[in-house]
Amino acid sequence: MAGEISFEAPRGMRDFYPSDMIWRNKVFDAFRAAAKAADFSPYDACVVESYELLARKAGEEVGEQIYHFYDKSERHLALRAEMTPTLARMVAQRQKELAFPLKWTTIAQCFRYERMTKGRKREHYQWNLDIIGEESTLAEVEVIGTAIDALRRMGLKDEDFKVHVSSRAYLGKLLSESGIAPERHTQVFLALDKRGKMPDSEIAAMLNDGGLSEQEIESTFKIMDTKGYSSCEELSDLFHLAEIAGFAQCLEFDISVIRGLSYYTGIVFECFDTKGEFRAIFGGGRYDNLLTTIGGEQTSAVGLGFGDVVVTELLKGRLGENAASVPNGIAIGFMTDSERESALRLAYRLRREGENVNLALRAQKPKKFFARSSESNAAKAIFIGPDDVAKGVARIKDLATRQEEPICL
Ligand code: HAM
């Protein structure tokens, strides 16, 4: 009924007005340019998946956040909460034909019924980089290095962010050495991932529910104070290779990085802003068993997801709200309807020459035209009056320097 529909988007969902699209395009352009520079192949997939593919047995948070529904044929479907299960399904489907290692990238809209906090929405775009079929740590270097390249292309400085790195395999080894059986590790990882988000007493209770004794819980917390990683070959290798690639200064060993998804098996990482204002900018890691869990053949894989929400807020804060709009293009206006055709002809000529042209749709006073042009995305403006048509020449004005040059009509 009229008047009862809210003009707001549903809670947690976003509209993108043109002023928002300027930012979104800036971020997506950097994603695409960085992926291209490292030769990741773009792919895409359906947003709706079977619920079964996305459902979680390990009790991960994301499992409870899935938007799901039944279609008219009673199929249990869901909106993807992340791209990784879909990627695994696509790779499993063509595992015999594809040439490994694969380096794939996509920007996928994902949906999660999240508790809304700063930087977390119920819908976000997530840039994914994945390398499938490669065991070398160079794969981790390539995905992390490419994400850092994107941050730099967006205009952030190395001191604005830090990639916190650890390894589940290393943490698992430390847990095993303390007598905690490997089959309990997944539960321990998921409990420890909550550290910092809830009091340690609650984490201890979760570990206790997972079957750990008092003493094992105490050893687990002690392990979380580990500062060194030199006995972990893969982490030493990663830091060494990152040094050569020129981004070791952006990395930091941090045993508390675990990740909330159960499929990770090796190196895991999360990138944060250095001021600690936001939740993770991107996160990922090695997941060697995901394909087998959905019925494919065992394949080594590493990848990351990089959302658009946090990085856009961070960029606005660091660079300024208006930093994304770089004036370019030419605005063309005309005084009376007698100049309309000259303006139209000029606009199409300049567009054919490769210029971006915003042609006024109706006659207007010069003052109004120049005021609107200055507020728009135009760098230059041409206003055509009766005298200009008579002479066959108008003037093109640089809106920043106010300098004018003649231009033939
Ligand atoms: P994730 O840590 O759940 O990992 O999400 C990756 C990134 O997506 C986060 O660091 C954040 O930037 C963004 N993100 C996640 N949820 C939200 C939300 N509700 N609102 C805004 N942004 C969000 C994954 O999804 C893995 N599948 C990544 C991956 C790819 N691992 C291997 N390959």
Side-chain angles (χ1 to χ4, degrees), residues 12 49 76 86 98 119 126 128-129 133 140 162 165-166 184 187 192 214 230 255 272 282 306 331 345 347 359 401 405:
E49 272 290 0
H76 196 181
T86 299
L98 293 165
Q126 197 188 95
N128 278 239
L129 294 169
E140 275 90 340
K162 194 65 103 191
V165 187
S166 185
R184 300 224 197 104
Q187 286 310 321
L192 290 177
E214 288 281 308
S230 53
I255 191 106
F272 292 96
F282 66 76
F306 185 144
R345 193 173 301 110
L359 173 66
T401 64
E405 278 176 41

Side-chain angles (χ1 to χ4, degrees), residues 14 62 65 81-85 87 110-115 119-130 259-261 263-264 270-271 279-287 302-311:
R14 294 172 298 168
V62 72
Q65 297 172 334
E82 51 159 340
M83 197 60 164
T84 315
L87 172 67
C110 300
F111 298 83
R112 298 181 186 183
Y113 194 83
E114 285 249 17
R115 206 165 46 82
R120 285 292 177 272
K121 307 269 179 204
R122 292 186 177 161
E123 153 278 317
H124 70 283
Y125 285 92
Q126 197 188 95
W127 179 40
N128 278 239
L129 294 169
D130 289 271
R259 308 275 296 132
L261 300 159
Y263 49 64
Y264 293 110
E270 273 192 332
C271 177
R279 286 179 61 176
I281 300 171
F282 66 76
R286 184 168 283 277
Y287 52 103
V302 48
L304 63 80
F306 185 144
D308 64 329
V309 181
V310 164
V311 83

